[in-house]
Amino acid sequence: MIHQKIENSIGGIYCVNRSIPIPILEEVFGSLTAKQSQFLNTIEQCGEHLMTLINNILDLSKIES
C-alpha cells in the first residue's frame, strides 16, 4: 500500500512536469533562452532517472517481502 502511494505521488509530479509543452511555456513566459531550455532538458532527464530508480527500489522491496 505504501509503495503504491509513493509511486503514485512521484509519478504524478513527474507527469505534471512533462505535461506542459515548451510552446505553452514560451507563450506564457516569452521565448526561452538556450540556458533555460538546457535546464528543462536536465530536469526531464533527472525525472526519468528518478522514476527508474524508484521503480527499481519498489520492485526489490516487493521481491524481499
Side-chain angles (χ1 to χ4, degrees):
M1 176 92 171
I2 196 102
H3 298 121
Q4 190 67 31
K5 288 182 180 180
I6 292 171
E7 192 171 27
N8 287 343
S9 298
I10 299 296
I13 292 168
Y14 178 63
C15 288
V16 166
N17 182 48
R18 291 191 60 165
S19 69
I20 304 172
I22 289 178
I24 291 176
L25 288 175
E26 289 180 333
E27 184 178 317
V28 173
F29 298 107
S31 295
L32 298 176
T33 65
K35 194 168 194 170
Q36 289 170 325
S37 293
Q38 183 182 7
F39 286 148
L40 287 175
N41 288 332
T42 301
I43 290 168
E44 183 175 6
Q45 290 171 356
C46 290
E48 290 172 1
H49 185 69
L50 181 60
M51 283 300 296
T52 300
L53 288 173
I54 289 170
N55 286 330
N56 289 342
I57 291 169
L58 293 175
D59 288 343
L60 285 174
S61 67
K62 290 177 189 174
I63 292 170
E64 291 180 357
S65 60

